[in-house]
PDB file of all heavy atoms in Angstrom:
ATOM      1  N   SER M   1      80.063  90.198  72.231  1.00 93.00           N
ATOM      2  CA  SER M   1      81.496  90.282  72.563  1.00 93.00           C
ATOM      3  C   SER M   1      82.365  89.782  71.405  1.00 93.00           C
ATOM      4  O   SER M   1      83.399  90.367  71.095  1.00 93.00           O
ATOM      5  CB  SER M   1      81.800  89.484  73.835  1.00 93.00           C
ATOM      6  OG  SER M   1      81.440  88.125  73.683  1.00 93.00           O
ATOM      7  N   ASN M   2      81.926  88.717  70.745  1.00 90.00           N
ATOM      8  CA  ASN M   2      82.703  88.154  69.631  1.00 90.00           C
ATOM      9  C   ASN M   2      82.796  89.134  68.472  1.00 90.00           C
ATOM     10  O   ASN M   2      83.879  89.339  67.900  1.00 90.00           O
ATOM     11  CB  ASN M   2      82.068  86.841  69.175  1.00 90.00           C
ATOM     12  CG  ASN M   2      82.986  86.055  68.253  1.00 90.00           C
ATOM     13  OD1 ASN M   2      83.021  86.300  67.054  1.00 90.00           O
ATOM     14  ND2 ASN M   2      83.728  85.114  68.806  1.00 90.00           N
ATOM     15  N   GLU M   3      81.657  89.759  68.131  1.00 89.00           N
ATOM     16  CA  GLU M   3      81.627  90.709  67.021  1.00 89.00           C
ATOM     17  C   GLU M   3      82.460  91.956  67.345  1.00 89.00           C
ATOM     18  O   GLU M   3      83.168  92.479  66.483  1.00 89.00           O
ATOM     19  CB  GLU M   3      80.190  91.121  66.710  1.00 89.00           C
ATOM     20  CG  GLU M   3      79.357  90.060  66.013  1.00 89.00           C
ATOM     21  CD  GLU M   3      78.776  89.024  66.962  1.00 89.00           C
ATOM     22  OE1 GLU M   3      79.068  89.101  68.176  1.00 89.00           O
ATOM     23  OE2 GLU M   3      78.055  88.140  66.510  1.00 89.00           O
ATOM     24  N   ILE M   4      82.367  92.430  68.589  1.00 92.00           N
ATOM     25  CA  ILE M   4      83.098  93.637  68.995  1.00 92.00           C
ATOM     26  C   ILE M   4      84.607  93.396  68.946  1.00 92.00           C
ATOM     27  O   ILE M   4      85.374  94.217  68.419  1.00 92.00           O
ATOM     28  CB  ILE M   4      82.658  94.087  70.405  1.00 92.00           C
ATOM     29  CG1 ILE M   4      81.214  94.587  70.363  1.00 92.00           C
ATOM     30  CG2 ILE M   4      83.574  95.194  70.934  1.00 92.00           C
ATOM     31  CD1 ILE M   4      80.580  94.766  71.725  1.00 92.00           C
ATOM     32  N   ILE M   5      85.046  92.259  69.496  1.00 92.00           N
ATOM     33  CA  ILE M   5      86.478  91.928  69.471  1.00 92.00           C
ATOM     34  C   ILE M   5      86.962  91.712  68.041  1.00 92.00           C
ATOM     35  O   ILE M   5      88.082  92.098  67.683  1.00 92.00           O
ATOM     36  CB  ILE M   5      86.763  90.670  70.337  1.00 92.00           C
ATOM     37  CG1 ILE M   5      86.446  90.947  71.816  1.00 92.00           C
ATOM     38  CG2 ILE M   5      88.214  90.228  70.193  1.00 92.00           C
ATOM     39  CD1 ILE M   5      87.291  92.032  72.454  1.00 92.00           C
ATOM     40  N   THR M   6      86.109  91.121  67.204  1.00 89.00           N
ATOM     41  CA  THR M   6      86.462  90.908  65.795  1.00 89.00           C
ATOM     42  C   THR M   6      86.721  92.238  65.096  1.00 89.00           C
ATOM     43  O   THR M   6      87.718  92.403  64.388  1.00 89.00           O
ATOM     44  CB  THR M   6      85.336  90.152  65.061  1.00 89.00           C
ATOM     45  OG1 THR M   6      85.183  88.852  65.654  1.00 89.00           O
ATOM     46  CG2 THR M   6      85.648  89.989  63.580  1.00 89.00           C
ATOM     47  N   ILE M   7      85.814  93.194  65.291  1.00 90.00           N
ATOM     48  CA  ILE M   7      85.954  94.511  64.661  1.00 90.00           C
ATOM     49  C   ILE M   7      87.199  95.239  65.171  1.00 90.00           C
ATOM     50  O   ILE M   7      87.949  95.839  64.396  1.00 90.00           O
ATOM     51  CB  ILE M   7      84.690  95.371  64.920  1.00 90.00           C
ATOM     52  CG1 ILE M   7      83.498  94.794  64.161  1.00 90.00           C
ATOM     53  CG2 ILE M   7      84.922  96.828  64.509  1.00 90.00           C
ATOM     54  CD1 ILE M   7      82.167  95.405  64.542  1.00 90.00           C
ATOM     55  N   LEU M   8      87.445  95.157  66.478  1.00 90.00           N
ATOM     56  CA  LEU M   8      88.546  95.919  67.070  1.00 90.00           C
ATOM     57  C   LEU M   8      89.926  95.300  66.836  1.00 90.00           C
ATOM     58  O   LEU M   8      90.905  96.025  66.628  1.00 90.00           O
ATOM     59  CB  LEU M   8      88.313  96.066  68.583  1.00 90.00           C
ATOM     60  CG  LEU M   8      87.130  96.939  69.015  1.00 90.00           C
ATOM     61  CD1 LEU M   8      86.962  96.897  70.525  1.00 90.00           C
ATOM     62  CD2 LEU M   8      87.306  98.380  68.550  1.00 90.00           C
ATOM     63  N   TYR M   9      90.006  93.967  66.864  1.00 89.00           N
ATOM     64  CA  TYR M   9      91.336  93.346  66.926  1.00 89.00           C
ATOM     65  C   TYR M   9      91.647  92.278  65.880  1.00 89.00           C
ATOM     66  O   TYR M   9      92.813  91.914  65.732  1.00 89.00           O
ATOM     67  CB  TYR M   9      91.550  92.717  68.313  1.00 89.00           C
ATOM     68  CG  TYR M   9      91.515  93.707  69.435  1.00 89.00           C
ATOM     69  CD1 TYR M   9      90.464  93.716  70.346  1.00 89.00           C
ATOM     70  CD2 TYR M   9      92.535  94.642  69.596  1.00 89.00           C
ATOM     71  CE1 TYR M   9      90.431  94.629  71.389  1.00 89.00           C
ATOM     72  CE2 TYR M   9      92.511  95.552  70.638  1.00 89.00           C
ATOM     73  CZ  TYR M   9      91.455  95.546  71.532  1.00 89.00           C
ATOM     74  OH  TYR M   9      91.421  96.451  72.556  1.00 89.00           O
ATOM     75  N   LYS M  10      90.647  91.749  65.178  1.00 84.00           N
ATOM     76  CA  LYS M  10      90.933  90.608  64.297  1.00 84.00           C
ATOM     77  C   LYS M  10      91.690  91.031  63.041  1.00 84.00           C
ATOM     78  O   LYS M  10      91.098  91.357  62.006  1.00 84.00           O
ATOM     79  CB  LYS M  10      89.647  89.883  63.909  1.00 84.00           C
ATOM     80  CG  LYS M  10      89.935  88.524  63.256  1.00 84.00           C
ATOM     81  CD  LYS M  10      88.674  87.824  62.827  1.00 84.00           C
ATOM     82  CE  LYS M  10      89.012  86.505  62.152  1.00 84.00           C
ATOM     83  NZ  LYS M  10      87.817  85.828  61.632  1.00 84.00           N
ATOM     84  N   ARG M  11      92.989  91.024  63.172  1.00 84.00           N
ATOM     85  CA  ARG M  11      93.879  91.320  62.036  1.00 84.00           C
ATOM     86  C   ARG M  11      95.274  90.829  62.386  1.00 84.00           C
ATOM     87  O   ARG M  11      95.627  90.743  63.564  1.00 84.00           O
ATOM     88  CB  ARG M  11      93.880  92.817  61.717  1.00 84.00           C
ATOM     89  CG  ARG M  11      94.259  93.718  62.861  1.00 84.00           C
ATOM     90  CD  ARG M  11      94.078  95.188  62.494  1.00 84.00           C
ATOM     91  NE  ARG M  11      92.692  95.507  62.243  1.00 84.00           N
ATOM     92  CZ  ARG M  11      91.821  95.865  63.208  1.00 84.00           C
ATOM     93  NH1 ARG M  11      92.212  95.910  64.468  1.00 84.00           N
ATOM     94  NH2 ARG M  11      90.594  96.150  62.904  1.00 84.00           N
ATOM     95  N   GLY M  12      96.046  90.479  61.402  1.00 82.00           N
ATOM     96  CA  GLY M  12      97.407  90.005  61.623  1.00 82.00           C
ATOM     97  C   GLY M  12      97.437  88.705  62.404  1.00 82.00           C
ATOM     98  O   GLY M  12      96.733  87.741  62.082  1.00 82.00           O
ATOM     99  N   ALA M  13      98.264  88.673  63.459  1.00 84.00           N
ATOM    100  CA  ALA M  13      98.426  87.462  64.273  1.00 84.00           C
ATOM    101  C   ALA M  13      97.230  87.208  65.188  1.00 84.00           C
ATOM    102  O   ALA M  13      97.094  86.126  65.761  1.00 84.00           O
ATOM    103  CB  ALA M  13      99.699  87.574  65.112  1.00 84.00           C
ATOM    104  N   PHE M  14      96.364  88.220  65.324  1.00 88.00           N
ATOM    105  CA  PHE M  14      95.175  88.064  66.175  1.00 88.00           C
ATOM    106  C   PHE M  14      94.103  87.329  65.377  1.00 88.00           C
ATOM    107  O   PHE M  14      93.248  87.914  64.725  1.00 88.00           O
ATOM    108  CB  PHE M  14      94.668  89.442  66.628  1.00 88.00           C
ATOM    109  CG  PHE M  14      93.889  89.409  67.919  1.00 88.00           C
ATOM    110  CD1 PHE M  14      94.515  89.622  69.128  1.00 88.00           C
ATOM    111  CD2 PHE M  14      92.523  89.162  67.910  1.00 88.00           C
ATOM    112  CE1 PHE M  14      93.801  89.595  70.312  1.00 88.00           C
ATOM    113  CE2 PHE M  14      91.800  89.135  69.080  1.00 88.00           C
ATOM    114  CZ  PHE M  14      92.435  89.352  70.288  1.00 88.00           C
ATOM    115  N   ASN M  15      94.154  85.990  65.437  1.00 87.00           N
ATOM    116  CA  ASN M  15      93.298  85.146  64.606  1.00 87.00           C
ATOM    117  C   ASN M  15      91.968  84.806  65.284  1.00 87.00           C
ATOM    118  O   ASN M  15      91.618  85.360  66.319  1.00 87.00           O
ATOM    119  CB  ASN M  15      94.046  83.865  64.209  1.00 87.00           C
ATOM    120  CG  ASN M  15      94.557  83.108  65.432  1.00 87.00           C
ATOM    121  OD1 ASN M  15      94.029  83.241  66.533  1.00 87.00           O
ATOM    122  ND2 ASN M  15      95.596  82.313  65.232  1.00 87.00           N
ATOM    123  N   LYS M  16      91.261  83.851  64.678  1.00 86.00           N
ATOM    124  CA  LYS M  16      89.940  83.443  65.173  1.00 86.00           C
ATOM    125  C   LYS M  16      90.020  82.879  66.595  1.00 86.00           C
ATOM    126  O   LYS M  16      89.138  83.112  67.426  1.00 86.00           O
ATOM    127  CB  LYS M  16      89.354  82.395  64.217  1.00 86.00           C
ATOM    128  CG  LYS M  16      87.882  82.167  64.376  1.00 86.00           C
ATOM    129  CD  LYS M  16      87.364  81.248  63.273  1.00 86.00           C
ATOM    130  CE  LYS M  16      85.854  81.061  63.423  1.00 86.00           C
ATOM    131  NZ  LYS M  16      85.309  80.192  62.345  1.00 86.00           N
ATOM    132  N   TYR M  17      91.083  82.132  66.882  1.00 89.00           N
ATOM    133  CA  TYR M  17      91.280  81.561  68.221  1.00 89.00           C
ATOM    134  C   TYR M  17      91.490  82.667  69.253  1.00 89.00           C
ATOM    135  O   TYR M  17      90.951  82.613  70.354  1.00 89.00           O
ATOM    136  CB  TYR M  17      92.479  80.609  68.199  1.00 89.00           C
ATOM    137  CG  TYR M  17      92.815  80.003  69.541  1.00 89.00           C
ATOM    138  CD1 TYR M  17      91.990  79.048  70.130  1.00 89.00           C
ATOM    139  CD2 TYR M  17      93.966  80.388  70.233  1.00 89.00           C
ATOM    140  CE1 TYR M  17      92.290  78.499  71.365  1.00 89.00           C
ATOM    141  CE2 TYR M  17      94.286  79.835  71.467  1.00 89.00           C
ATOM    142  CZ  TYR M  17      93.441  78.898  72.029  1.00 89.00           C
ATOM    143  OH  TYR M  17      93.745  78.353  73.249  1.00 89.00           O
ATOM    144  N   SER M  18      92.277  83.671  68.887  1.00 90.00           N
ATOM    145  CA  SER M  18      92.527  84.811  69.778  1.00 90.00           C
ATOM    146  C   SER M  18      91.237  85.573  70.058  1.00 90.00           C
ATOM    147  O   SER M  18      91.000  86.019  71.187  1.00 90.00           O
ATOM    148  CB  SER M  18      93.552  85.760  69.153  1.00 90.00           C
ATOM    149  OG  SER M  18      94.750  85.083  68.859  1.00 90.00           O
ATOM    150  N   VAL M  19      90.411  85.715  69.031  1.00 90.00           N
ATOM    151  CA  VAL M  19      89.123  86.403  69.180  1.00 90.00           C
ATOM    152  C   VAL M  19      88.239  85.662  70.178  1.00 90.00           C
ATOM    153  O   VAL M  19      87.603  86.273  71.044  1.00 90.00           O
ATOM    154  CB  VAL M  19      88.401  86.527  67.809  1.00 90.00           C
ATOM    155  CG1 VAL M  19      86.950  86.970  68.000  1.00 90.00           C
ATOM    156  CG2 VAL M  19      89.124  87.508  66.919  1.00 90.00           C
ATOM    157  N   ALA M  20      88.203  84.327  70.055  1.00 89.00           N
ATOM    158  CA  ALA M  20      87.386  83.509  70.958  1.00 89.00           C
ATOM    159  C   ALA M  20      87.829  83.663  72.415  1.00 89.00           C
ATOM    160  O   ALA M  20      86.998  83.815  73.313  1.00 89.00           O
ATOM    161  CB  ALA M  20      87.454  82.044  70.530  1.00 89.00           C
ATOM    162  N   LEU M  21      89.148  83.630  72.654  1.00 89.00           N
ATOM    163  CA  LEU M  21      89.682  83.787  74.011  1.00 89.00           C
ATOM    164  C   LEU M  21      89.369  85.173  74.573  1.00 89.00           C
ATOM    165  O   LEU M  21      88.897  85.310  75.707  1.00 89.00           O
ATOM    166  CB  LEU M  21      91.193  83.562  74.017  1.00 89.00           C
ATOM    167  CG  LEU M  21      91.697  82.137  73.788  1.00 89.00           C
ATOM    168  CD1 LEU M  21      93.222  82.128  73.714  1.00 89.00           C
ATOM    169  CD2 LEU M  21      91.227  81.204  74.892  1.00 89.00           C
ATOM    170  N   ALA M  22      89.638  86.201  73.768  1.00 92.00           N
ATOM    171  CA  ALA M  22      89.438  87.581  74.226  1.00 92.00           C
ATOM    172  C   ALA M  22      87.960  87.891  74.455  1.00 92.00           C
ATOM    173  O   ALA M  22      87.606  88.590  75.406  1.00 92.00           O
ATOM    174  CB  ALA M  22      90.026  88.555  73.210  1.00 92.00           C
ATOM    175  N   SER M  23      87.108  87.372  73.578  1.00 93.00           N
ATOM    176  CA  SER M  23      85.673  87.651  73.713  1.00 93.00           C
ATOM    177  C   SER M  23      85.077  86.994  74.954  1.00 93.00           C
ATOM    178  O   SER M  23      84.146  87.531  75.562  1.00 93.00           O
ATOM    179  CB  SER M  23      84.912  87.202  72.457  1.00 93.00           C
ATOM    180  OG  SER M  23      85.022  85.811  72.263  1.00 93.00           O
ATOM    181  N   ASP M  24      85.607  85.825  75.350  1.00 90.00           N
ATOM    182  CA  ASP M  24      85.162  85.180  76.597  1.00 90.00           C
ATOM    183  C   ASP M  24      85.428  86.092  77.790  1.00 90.00           C
ATOM    184  O   ASP M  24      84.553  86.311  78.637  1.00 90.00           O
ATOM    185  CB  ASP M  24      85.891  83.848  76.799  1.00 90.00           C
ATOM    186  CG  ASP M  24      85.361  82.749  75.904  1.00 90.00           C
ATOM    187  OD1 ASP M  24      84.256  82.921  75.356  1.00 90.00           O
ATOM    188  OD2 ASP M  24      86.050  81.726  75.741  1.00 90.00           O
ATOM    189  N   PHE M  25      86.637  86.623  77.854  1.00 91.00           N
ATOM    190  CA  PHE M  25      87.010  87.540  78.942  1.00 91.00           C
ATOM    191  C   PHE M  25      86.177  88.816  78.888  1.00 91.00           C
ATOM    192  O   PHE M  25      85.608  89.255  79.883  1.00 91.00           O
ATOM    193  CB  PHE M  25      88.504  87.901  78.836  1.00 91.00           C
ATOM    194  CG  PHE M  25      89.382  87.077  79.718  1.00 91.00           C
ATOM    195  CD1 PHE M  25      89.734  85.777  79.363  1.00 91.00           C
ATOM    196  CD2 PHE M  25      89.862  87.578  80.911  1.00 91.00           C
ATOM    197  CE1 PHE M  25      90.545  85.005  80.173  1.00 91.00           C
ATOM    198  CE2 PHE M  25      90.681  86.820  81.730  1.00 91.00           C
ATOM    199  CZ  PHE M  25      91.028  85.529  81.361  1.00 91.00           C
ATOM    200  N   PHE M  26      86.139  89.413  77.689  1.00 94.00           N
ATOM    201  CA  PHE M  26      85.457  90.691  77.508  1.00 94.00           C
ATOM    202  C   PHE M  26      83.979  90.611  77.886  1.00 94.00           C
ATOM    203  O   PHE M  26      83.450  91.469  78.593  1.00 94.00           O
ATOM    204  CB  PHE M  26      85.611  91.137  76.051  1.00 94.00           C
ATOM    205  CG  PHE M  26      84.910  92.425  75.734  1.00 94.00           C
ATOM    206  CD1 PHE M  26      85.459  93.641  76.122  1.00 94.00           C
ATOM    207  CD2 PHE M  26      83.714  92.422  75.034  1.00 94.00           C
ATOM    208  CE1 PHE M  26      84.817  94.828  75.821  1.00 94.00           C
ATOM    209  CE2 PHE M  26      83.066  93.610  74.729  1.00 94.00           C
ATOM    210  CZ  PHE M  26      83.620  94.819  75.123  1.00 94.00           C
TER     211      PHE M  26
END
């Protein structure tokens, strides 16, 4: 989930913290 969210969304304001939150849900 972490790698998938990183590839799809980790850019701009969507930082490492945002990835962690989103990947937990995903």
Side-chain angles (χ1 to χ4, degrees):
S1 59
N2 193 276
E3 287 82 357
I4 292 167
I5 296 297
T6 297
I7 291 169
L8 292 175
Y9 298 111
K10 193 182 178 184
R11 56 186 64 87
F14 205 93
N15 56 24
K16 196 173 182 179
Y17 178 71
S18 303
V19 168
L21 290 175
S23 62
D24 284 344
F25 263 78
F26 178 77

